[in-house]
């Protein structure tokens, strides 16, 4: 789809992204082997708890599928273009980009109680920028975890904050930066309890 997107196209891609993101693969794969991944850890129906509840194979498969459900709709919406050309969507781009993340966090399949949005975030930014942003996000996560030894919630939020800075420097103050800022806000929301708990004990 070339040229300026129409309202119908925007609605279709946003809906497709949300529905794709809402598919709770880690939770469903756990059920296939008789495990409810929400019964362990923090109760999150994501890949980390799938590993704890059902083993590495289920958890890794769920994580990979969670990655794909973010990457595929966003890549299709911007194909054959890539960042910064993806900003042909203009200021609608953050909506298109964050739809899978929102679908994962507020999945209608689990009565609006979805996951924390980490794997799907990696997928979304792969769909938008190929390797660039996911490499920065992954590298800053590793640094925060193994060098700074931050708690997991702070690892995710601080890495996304650093990645948002990178997006602004790399692509400028435009729709991609707005998408990164929205993504940061969503990750802060999904990790709010852990962030508050850490702050109250500091």
């Amino acid at each position: 789809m070339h040229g300026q997107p129409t309202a119908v196209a925007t609605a279709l891609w946003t809906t497709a992204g949300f529905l794709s993101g809402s598919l709770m693969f880690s939770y469903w794969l756990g059920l296939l082997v008789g495990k409810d991944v929400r019964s362990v850890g923090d109760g999150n129906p994501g890949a980390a708890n799938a590993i704890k509840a059902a083993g590495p194979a289920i958890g890794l498969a769920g994580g990979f599928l969670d990655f794909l459900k973010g990457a595929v709709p966003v890549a299709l919406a911007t194909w054959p273009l890539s960042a910064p050309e993806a900003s042909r969507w203009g200021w609608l781009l953050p909506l298109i980009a964050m739809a899978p993340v929102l679908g994962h966090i507020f999945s209608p399949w689990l009565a609006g109680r979805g996951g924390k949005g980490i794997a799907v975030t990696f997928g979304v930014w792969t769909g938008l920028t190929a390797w660039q942003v996911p490499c920065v996000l992954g590298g800053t996560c590793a640094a925060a975890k193994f060098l700074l030894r931050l708690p997991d919630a702070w690892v995710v939020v601080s890495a996304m904050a650093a990645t948002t800075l990178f997006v602004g420097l790399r692509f400028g103050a435009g729709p991609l930066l707005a998408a990164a800022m929205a993504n940061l806000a969503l990750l802060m929301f999904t990790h709010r309890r852990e962030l508050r708990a850490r702050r109250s004990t500091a």
Side-chain angles (χ1 to χ4, degrees):
M1 183 183 65
H2 299 282
Q4 292 299 312
T6 65
V8 172
T10 301
L12 287 175
W13 282 116
T14 302
T15 301
F18 183 89
L19 291 177
S20 177
S22 75
L23 301 174
M24 305 308 294
F25 291 114
S26 294
Y27 172 70
W28 290 336
L29 288 174
L31 292 182
L32 286 178
V33 295
K35 303 291 185 179
D36 186 343
V37 303
R38 299 174 299 177
S39 66
V40 299
D42 58 5
N44 173 47
N49 283 344
I51 292 175
K52 296 175 184 176
I58 293 294
L60 292 175
F64 180 64
L65 290 170
D66 285 347
F67 167 85
L68 287 180
K69 73 185 187 182
V72 170
V74 171
L76 290 175
T78 57
W79 186 89
L81 305 175
S82 59
E85 289 85 356
S87 61
R88 68 188 176 83
W89 283 94
W91 292 102
L92 294 171
L93 182 66
L95 180 62
I96 301 295
M98 289 302 102
V101 182
L102 288 166
H104 181 80
I105 295 172
F106 302 106
S107 175
W109 300 102
L110 294 178
R113 298 179 180 180
K116 292 185 174 178
I118 301 170
V120 71
T121 288
F122 274 94
V124 162
W125 286 100
T126 299
L128 284 173
T129 68
W131 56 271
Q132 295 183 66
V133 170
C135 283
V136 173
L137 181 56
T140 51
C141 276
K145 179 70 174 178
F146 299 110
L147 295 180
L148 300 180
R149 300 184 182 278
L150 297 177
D152 289 345
W154 285 96
V155 166
V156 173
V157 171
S158 61
M160 190 65 221
T163 301
T164 300
L165 177 61
F166 167 79
V167 171
L169 294 172
R170 175 68 178 85
F171 302 111
L176 284 172
L177 178 58
M181 294 173 67
N183 207 157
L184 173 60
L186 288 172
L187 292 178
M188 291 177 68
F189 171 78
T190 59
H191 291 84
R192 63 194 182 281
R193 292 185 181 86
E194 296 91 333
L195 296 174
R196 279 200 299 263
R198 176 68 177 181
R199 185 173 57 190
S200 64
T201 58

